[in-house]
Amino acid sequence: MPALPATVRARPLPGVRLLTVAVGLLALIVALSVYNLASGETTATWSQVTRALFDAEAARTQDPTLTLFIRDLRLPRILAAVIGGASLGVAGVILQDSLRNPLADPGLLGLLQVASFVVAVAAIYPEVLVGIPLNVLILAAQVVAGIIVLSVVGRIRGPVRIVLIGAALTAFFATMSTLVILLAPFQRTTGITAFNRYVIGSLAAITWGDVTSMAPWLVVAVPLALLGGRALNLLQLGDEMALAGGLNPQRARIALLVLAMALTAPVVANVGPVAFIALLAPHVARGLLTSSEARRVMVVSSLLGAFFLLAADTLGRLLFFPFEVPAGVWTVLLIGPMAIWLVGRRRTAAVTA
Amino acid sequence: MTATATPTAAAPSATAAPAPRRRPGRAYAVAASSLVGLVVLSVWWGTGSVMLTPAAAWRALVDPDDAERIEVIATNARLARVVMAIGVGAALGASGALLQALYQNALASPSITGVTQGAVAAAVVWLTFGGASSLDEATWIVPLVATAGGFGAGLLTYIAARLGGRTDPLRLILMGVLVGGVLASITAVTILASGDLGQELIRWTTGSLTGTTWTKVRLLYTGLALLTPLVIISLPLANVLALGDNLAQGLGQRVEWARGVVLFTSAGLVAAAVSFVGGIAFVGLVAPHLTRRATGADLRRHLPAAALVGAGMVAAADFVARNVVPIDVLRWLGVENPQVLASAVPAGIFLALLGAPYFVIILRRTRT
């Protein structure tokens, strides 16, 4: 009897490999977080950190500034990095599997540029917001862009078409952002500075408010994504196979894409368009797991995403201390080339599938 | 392979489309496009507001009596811009035609080779960290740096595509998009660090002919002249490559080598164009597409027509950018100095505004 492809064969979900990888990554994230909590403007000892975290009253009276640093500056920043990275990691898996495309990344599909455009308009003409949260506005813009993509793609036959559409959307919305910036009245140039912060993701100005506005999206979207794991596994096999497996491929794809956008929108709104994490994390996760089973890949990819963003922010914050380099710079300079190398190494068959 | 409307020559006559039907259209398209180019040229040159450029306006302030000098300045600036637009558009149109044959995909364009983004990134990085205080300061260095960046990006795309064995159109497209994306991000990061120069750089990344001088025009045409023999060599190679790798090999072509030559040539054309005016998009996509119907997919006929239409597109876009932006609208938007800004709106914006919807339309049409 011929062996079934790995994705079809039934395997117990919590594999040993998954557990090892996940625990290892978690340990890395925790270690990096602790290091992050302790270092910076004033370096803290282990006991100071634990006290600041778990015994706020005592810490406040003994060492008010350090406690403030740890609790209100460093902690939300770490949490935002973890939440943002994890969201991007999951979104990447959803996009790549549902579109059957190794390059399906919010940045390369033009979704980040749409978001940037919205942010540019909102930063320079704040009155257009009329009380709508930026998250929601970005999500709406992304959904519109996603509908454009899907409506022109038609059925997913090969990876090229969608990539070309993404390139065109990217060029178009980048140009539109330019137009908005060039036409900005002089008295509104503070808006441009605000926009620039969004062009490349940065965690420098994160507050607890940002964390609380990001967290609910992740909490709701990740379980939904895991529920969609079966659909993703079927979509990986192609639309015909998905149909044979009892799935309406187009409907499932739309639902999954909206989910992916719901995961990226809050990140873009609060941290900025962090590039390439959503592209690289799933590829690395599949490599570590030697499997492309969507749920497992999502778990590992979210941890990897969190680790990447946290590492990028740590580098940005502490490498040239006291000069701060936005986290987005490191994701572009380090993760971008890694993605080129990793995707380029795949053989044609693997890229096409 | 996703044969998304491969060049018509690649499709055997299974569809029984009568070839002769195209013949009357061919001459028509070439004539019409050259006509459009000429009309645009003459209209532009003839439109007679004196205060066209900030420079001319300044001269007028300094020496209000010297009407003749103002005229000369205005004429010179305008003419240089048209000539530049034509060179740039022709290069982009031609390289688009080559690339669509190379990738066997009518939706391909220079920006998916990463070359455009590479040239822009190199120039922006150079201007930011090279200590220039304005784009006009380093007239000839910037184009050289940009060209080098464009070639570098093209090479990187090729190498990345070869990492997994041999190159094929699919891998080249995917890696080109990825390389381009990374380079575009590098540009964005750099602009963030560029301070006062930022606004000028942002305009440049969209493609603007503001600040064209005759020196730049001369440099561009020298570059294009050097590239012409390569283009002529590439024509038959790309024609065969458009048939698909198997057929090309069967015809005795060294596929990898031919692909390298064609890619190098088109990268050169794009780099030359982009390095003078910045990242103009959609010309290399739309111009070959518009002309293919009239001329057929044989590049010996198709490429000149695409170049001609590309030239017309950029010249027209710059004309619009320069003369048709309604100053009242800018004033209404709260723009200060609308006069100055109106002459500095990048031509690339109009190409994107028209190009993107056109792209969506052809995408829907080429659904297979």
Side-chain angles (χ1 to χ4, degrees), chain A residues 103 151 157-158 160-161 163-165 168 172 178-179 182-183 185-186 196 200 279 329 332 340 344 346 348 351-352, chain B residues 2 4 107 164 168 170-171 174-175 177-178 185 189 192 202 206 330 334-336 346 349 356 359 363 367-368:
Chain A
L103 289 188
S151 71
R157 282 256 169 81
V160 167
R161 208 177 157 84
V163 164
L164 293 179
I165 298 166
F172 180 72
T178 309
L179 184 63
L182 286 181
L183 292 181
F186 281 167
N196 274 337
I200 196 82
L279 178 66
V329 173
V332 168
I340 292 179
R346 303 177 63 178
T348 305
V351 171
T352 321
Chain B
T2 49
T4 337
L107 304 174
D168 57 53
L170 175 63
R171 294 183 58 82
L174 293 180
M175 296 322 293
V177 168
L178 187 50
S185 303
V189 170
L192 191 64
I202 288 177
T206 308
L330 293 181
V335 176
E336 293 175 33
I349 282 181
F359 178 75
L363 254 180
R367 174 173 298 179
T368 39

Side-chain angles (χ1 to χ4, degrees), chain A residues 90 92 101 128 142 156 176 182 197 199 206 216 230 242 288 297 307 312 335 337:
Chain A
V90 176
N101 194 314
V128 298
Q142 286 190 328
I156 312 281
M176 290 303 103
L182 286 181
R197 220 180 56 231
V199 170
I206 289 286
R230 183 179 156 273
L288 287 176
V297 174
F307 173 68
I335 297 184

